[in-house]
Amino acid sequence: MTHSLHREGPLDLLNEECVLFVYPARGFNYDGSGPKVRRLGEMLFHQGPANLLVTTLRKNMYLAVSQEEILDSIKDGAKIFCVLENREKIKATLAKIKEMDEGISIVVSGVIDRVREISAELGINPHTVNLSLGIHGKTDRLPPPDIRQFTTMCGHGMVSPKLIRDLIRRVKTGKLDLWGASLLAAAPCA
Amino acid sequence: MLIRKDLCVGCGRCQPYCPVGAIHFEELKSNVDQEVCYECGTCLRSEVCPVDAIEESPHVYEYPRALRKFFSDPNATHALTGIAGRGTEESKSNDVINRVLPGEVGMAIEFGRPTLGMDLTNIQKVTRAMARAGFTKIEPENPFNDLIQNYETGDLKPELMGEKVLSAIMEFKITPDRLGLALRTIKEAAKEVDSVFVVDLYTRVGQGLTIPQEVLDTIKTEGYTWRPNAKINMGLGRANERKDR
């Protein structure tokens, strides 16, 4: 799942996770980006991501694809979305990216204060921030916040509130464990 | 999307996967309500059907229905921009492209997000309000330009009025002194729509991820708040021609 800008959830959870994007820029460093993105992808797998998706394959790492298949799909212009689930892993990964110096844009989607701290510790100077100013309009039509904690993990809105309710029901009735439910919830996110 | 009746076994497994609840039982088989379906492809992509009865509709790329596909399926690459998705690359490659410079603010109104989608009639209520306030210039490479009939009035193309999209992103760039007006206009327009949208802005930051105070003050003055989490471009990219410097 790619962590949306508008991801909702309790701060203590958000503090411990981030999504990292590897993002070549069309017309500026697309050409020849494939090998650089692949090297970054190999490094990201080495860091032990909670999830990882390459845009040229569009299958997350739990959808019966091997690490090699994911990496082999990378060509010029491929982007990577990678979920990291604790502060130390985020810091270690950014340190490695800085050291590799591949020149591809890196975006971290996470709690601003945590990214600020980690950047200072690593001597990285962030360039641009994209702030979410919230949901507007007929917000009473939205599913409740506890469901949105799951559905807003997918910025494209591909995870159905009905699916989340169904998965919660199946976990509560012992028909599915949490891991199994997580995999099913992540499947629609592309 | 379509579900082949001759193949469907009526298990109903696909139904919860539809983000907008377009799949229901009809004569003991699952059926996609074509009016409700956004052509996002989630039911197919989830590989949940045990008999492979889910297919893309043969008419999905016919205009104006194709709009649903291009603005709802993240895997669909828009014919105009060649960019998969609904917007541009926004802040994500700003360190390389410099789309938004110091002293500028990029803004985005993400119609239909999260999850509900929005029809073009409601989107037009916002584009007209923004045009009346003088916000008539849309980010050039954004596929949202394809929807617009008249930039000065904010009118969308009339033939699209029956269509709807899971998300369309109206992106524009302004100077900070116009941010207050933009936020006020958006807030007023939000009262007129029957679905939801999210608002975001992006701006260059100073040393130590310092967000310009003028921007933060305006957000607060206009009664908005920003979420504690954000997308942060780490400033590690560069254009190829600068590689050897």
Side-chain angles (χ1 to χ4, degrees), chain B residues 164-181:
Chain B
K164 54 189 187 171
V165 295
L166 214 44
S167 61
I169 305 177
M170 179 182 177
E171 267 182 280
F172 52 98
K173 203 165 64 171
I174 55 176
T175 48
D177 60 302
R178 300 189 71 213
L179 178 58
L181 175 62

Side-chain angles (χ1 to χ4, degrees), chain A residues 150-170:
Chain A
F150 294 94
T151 58
T152 57
M153 283 188 204
C154 176
H156 294 125
M158 298 290 105
V159 179
S160 150
K162 196 172 172 184
L163 175 65
I164 297 302
R165 288 192 182 98
D166 186 53
L167 293 174
I168 290 172
R169 180 186 56 77
R170 287 159 70 185

Side-chain angles (χ1 to χ4, degrees), chain A residues 131-134 136, chain B residues 105-109 130 133 135 172 174 176 178-190 197 199-201 214-226:
Chain A
L131 298 172
S132 168
L133 303 187
H136 304 270
Chain B
V105 176
M107 289 207 68
I109 306 172
M130 295 302 285
F135 300 101
F172 52 98
I174 55 176
R178 300 189 71 213
L179 178 58
L181 175 62
L183 292 175
R184 278 195 298 283
T185 307
I186 292 167
K187 192 173 261 190
E188 279 305 305
F197 56 82
V199 178
D200 60 87
L201 65 80
E214 181 185 11
V215 171
L216 297 181
D217 288 345
T218 306
I219 294 170
K220 283 190 265 192
T221 302
E222 299 304 332
Y224 286 75
T225 52
W226 60 91

Side-chain angles (χ1 to χ4, degrees), chain A residues 10 30 59 83 108:
Chain A
Y30 243 50
K59 287 193 171 189
V83 184
V108 172

Side-chain angles (χ1 to χ4, degrees), chain A residues 3-9 11 14 21 23-32 36 58-59 63 79 81 94 97-98 101-113 115-116 119 124-143 148 151-152 155-164 166-167 170 184-185 187-190, chain B residues 15-19 23-24 40 42 45-47 72-75 81-86 88-98 100 107 110 113-116 141 166-167 183 190-191 193-211 215-216 219 224-241 243:
Chain A
H3 183 154
S4 156
L5 171 61
H6 310 287
R7 161 92 156 98
E8 296 182 40
L11 193 57
L14 297 179
F21 306 169
Y23 218 93
R26 183 175 290 274
F28 288 81
N29 58 19
Y30 243 50
D31 294 343
K36 299 172 187 175
R58 286 279 179 191
K59 287 193 171 189
L63 288 177
K79 305 174 186 73
F81 302 116
L94 282 170
I97 290 171
K98 185 185 175 196
D101 190 26
E102 297 288 3
I104 303 295
S105 294
I106 303 293
V107 176
V108 172
S109 185
V111 172
I112 301 168
D113 288 345
V115 179
R116 185 181 284 125
S119 301
I124 293 174
N125 289 312
H127 184 275
T128 305
V129 68
N130 189 178
L131 298 172
S132 168
L133 303 187
I135 309 171
H136 304 270
K138 273 268 189 295
T139 52
D140 55 352
R141 287 186 57 197
L142 289 166
R148 296 208 302 271
T151 58
T152 57
H156 294 125
M158 298 290 105
V159 179
S160 150
K162 196 172 172 184
L163 175 65
I164 297 302
D166 186 53
L167 293 174
R170 287 159 70 185
L184 290 173
C189 182
Chain B
Q15 295 182 13
Y17 282 83
C18 178
I23 311 176
H24 299 283
C40 69
T42 301
R45 192 169 48 250
S46 300
E47 298 179 353
S72 304
D73 182 348
N75 290 345
T81 60
I83 294 173
R86 279 116 295 280
T88 63
E89 291 167 356
E90 302 132 15
S91 63
K92 293 191 275 288
S93 53
N94 201 41
D95 53 346
V96 172
I97 294 175
N98 283 305
V100 168
M107 289 207 68
E110 304 182 20
R113 289 183 177 179
T115 310
L116 294 184
E141 290 188 351
L166 214 44
S167 61
L183 292 175
K191 296 172 185 169
V193 299
D194 79 348
S195 187
V196 293
F197 56 82
V198 286
V199 178
D200 60 87
L201 65 80
Y202 53 104
T203 178
R204 298 279 287 264
V205 293
Q207 190 78 18
L209 221 171
T210 310
I211 303 168
V215 171
L216 297 181
I219 294 170
Y224 286 75
T225 52
W226 60 91
R227 290 196 55 74
N229 46 313
K231 276 182 185 164
I232 297 154
N233 180 312
M234 300 302 285
L236 298 171
R238 58 179 171 262
N240 279 342
E241 58 269 29
K243 173 75 178 171

Side-chain angles (χ1 to χ4, degrees), chain B residues 51-64:
Chain B
V51 292
D52 294 330
I54 303 173
E55 291 181 350
E56 198 168 63
S57 161
H59 307 297
V60 71
Y61 294 106
E62 289 174 9
Y63 188 80

